[in-house]
Amino acid sequence: MKATAIANSNIAFVKYWGKKDESLNIPFNPSISMTLDEKISTKTTVEFSEKYESDILILNNEKLSDNKLIRVSNFLDMIRKKSGCIYHAKVISKNTFPTGCGIASSASGFAALAAAAARASGLNLKDEELSKLARMGSGSAARSVYGGFAIWDNESATQIKDETFWPELTDIIAITDDQQKKISSREAMKITVKTSKKYRERLQKVDEKTSLMKQSILAKDFPNMAKLIMSESDNLHECMHDSVPEIEYLNENSYRIKELINEMNKEKPIAAYTFDAGPNAHIITLKKHSSKIKKELLKIFGLRLIESKIGKGIRYTEEHMI
Ligand code: PMV
């Protein structure tokens, strides 16, 4: 009973921030994302077997016994309950992107784990069911089940368009800091929901923003989409700044990148910056502008760049790691 799945990470254009239901990861607002390519992905093999006396987790060649193992074990319990499988599991998981480079791995990680574990336990789930399951591990993972563009509201995500719809789009990830984040998104969300007045205002406007974002994607209207992406990222970080205690994920280079992109957009928007719960920038642009933007970004001291195209959803392989 063994299966291997690969899932790519995604970058949110409208961000998930705040849980209506803490234990079930039900979001306060809908979110929209673009799935990234295989450069930013996780490959996971899961084997359920009577030979294991407890769950084992090996992540990027390191055997883990801390909170990460507990989180994975709880996730596997859910799958055991659903499938009737009674065995413990060995989970081997590898990210394609450098460990500790500051790129979030929970979206690709839990999407790949959900798919591999479900299949290894004998469950045959449709994408929507898989998305629900992935969501239980990490909210943003619900969207990584699909290629192209996905929208997540409530229990599961659905696809807006697949990866062939707008292949000219690209994401230049500018790594400004490769350290672990100081505060997890899970904790930071709770603080924002509890203390930020701006967050309450955000919630009143976010449905409309989501529908405008979806329309701009469907119309392939880059200038409008870029404006929406940047104002959404700014709004989220304003809500974090408005929280008590104040939450600041961005660093000096993040602010420099924002200035640079604003400068480059003076005549018309050619790129959009967006930041998740960390200081690394995602610059969404069209391939024709990519080399010019990379050249300018590299003038900022100490940046490392990784470029990702629009990517595929979950896929399976027989190349198991166990
Ligand atoms: O998947 P989580 O629970 O780590 O939350 C991710 C939240 C953001 O990355 C900031 C936004 C998003 O929608 O991906």
Side-chain angles (χ1 to χ4, degrees):
M1 292 169 90
K2 184 193 294 190
T4 300
I6 302 167
N8 302 352
S9 190
N10 66 75
I11 176 66
F13 291 1
V14 178
K15 315 273 189 198
Y16 149 55
W17 200 254
K19 301 175 208 272
K20 216 188 278 177
D21 186 316
E22 286 284 336
S23 58
L24 298 177
N25 280 352
I26 301 292
F28 265 121
N29 67 278
S31 54
I32 292 189
S33 63
M34 175 175 105
T35 301
L36 301 177
D37 71 16
E38 50 290 344
K39 274 192 230 116
I40 319 286
S41 67
T42 305
K43 177 177 176 182
T44 299
T45 299
V46 176
E47 180 178 48
F48 287 101
S49 166
E50 57 190 349
K51 66 186 176 207
Y52 303 124
E53 283 170 11
S54 60
D55 293 327
I56 301 164
L57 171 64
I58 298 172
L59 182 60
N60 298 320
N61 301 318
E62 197 188 333
K63 189 168 173 185
L64 298 180
S65 53
D66 57 3
N67 288 347
K68 287 201 177 111
L69 173 65
I70 298 171
R71 201 164 159 197
V72 165
S73 235
N74 289 342
F75 189 80
L76 292 171
D77 282 344
M78 229 167 43
I79 291 180
R80 282 186 275 255
K81 201 169 160 197
K82 218 173 158 76
S83 65
C85 170
I86 53 166
Y87 301 131
H88 284 114
K90 184 172 188 177
V91 177
I92 297 195
S93 193
K94 277 188 184 161
N95 294 329
T96 51
F97 45 95
T99 317
C101 71
I103 301 178
S105 56
S106 66
S108 55
F110 275 101
L113 178 66
R119 187 173 273 212
S121 74
L123 290 170
N124 183 11
L125 302 180
K126 292 201 190 90
D127 282 351
E128 203 183 315
E129 288 298 310
L130 211 50
S131 172
K132 273 188 198 170
L133 199 59
R135 184 204 82 225
M136 296 295 289
S138 166
S140 54
R143 301 183 306 244
S144 267
V145 168
Y146 306 95
F149 300 93
I151 181 163
W152 167 37
D153 196 4
N154 230 342
E155 291 200 334
S156 65
T158 49
Q159 189 173 54
I160 297 175
K161 282 283 176 188
D162 75 15
E163 63 278 10
T164 61
F165 175 68
W166 198 353
E168 295 85 3
L169 272 192
T170 186
D171 177 11
I172 304 165
I173 306 168
I175 298 169
T176 65
D177 184 352
D178 56 12
Q179 300 302 307
Q180 280 270 346
K181 33 185 150 175
K182 285 180 231 101
I183 169 166
S184 69
S185 49
R186 186 174 289 237
E187 283 310 309
M189 278 180 202
K190 275 196 217 164
I191 296 173
T192 313
V193 170
K194 242 196 198 158
T195 64
S196 166
K197 280 202 191 85
K198 285 193 179 156
Y199 181 73
R200 264 158 262 161
E201 290 161 25
R202 167 182 168 76
L203 285 186
Q204 282 167 11
K205 295 182 191 142
V206 72
D207 280 346
E208 195 194 347
K209 205 189 294 181
T210 308
S211 104
L212 291 174
M213 188 70 79
K214 189 175 169 185
Q215 281 171 33
S216 72
I217 293 170
L218 291 173
K220 294 192 195 175
D221 179 350
F222 186 82
N224 235 333
M225 185 180 80
K227 281 186 209 154
L228 288 166
I229 291 174
M230 290 185 284
S231 78
E232 161 64 357
S233 173
D234 288 345
N235 176 254
L236 180 73
H237 288 271
E238 275 162 23
C239 294
M240 293 180 192
H241 295 160
D242 184 46
S243 302
V244 185
E246 182 181 345
I247 299 160
E248 176 63 286
Y249 279 114
L250 308 187
N251 63 23
E252 267 178 37
N253 273 349
S254 319
Y255 286 104
R256 277 195 198 114
I257 293 169
K258 278 179 61 165
E259 267 170 40
L260 173 72
I261 300 299
N262 284 331
E263 186 63 30
M264 294 187 88
N265 280 344
K266 265 209 169 125
E267 270 173 35
K268 77 168 198 241
I270 61 161
Y273 58 77
T274 181
F275 297 87
D276 282 342
N280 297 323
H282 288 253
I283 317 288
I284 312 300
T285 186
L286 296 166
K287 281 181 186 160
K288 62 181 176 191
H289 302 304
S290 164
S291 45
K292 179 167 130 188
I293 293 168
K294 283 200 268 194
K295 209 170 132 200
E296 289 303 315
L297 281 169
L298 285 172
K299 289 183 189 161
I300 298 176
F301 180 72
L303 290 192
R304 237 168 82 205
L305 306 181
I306 302 178
E307 187 167 353
S308 166
K309 301 186 291 293
I310 298 192
K312 295 191 182 116
I314 277 172
R315 56 257 180 229
Y316 299 89
T317 166
E318 291 305 308
E319 287 171 21
H320 306 299
M321 296 183 286
I322 301 174

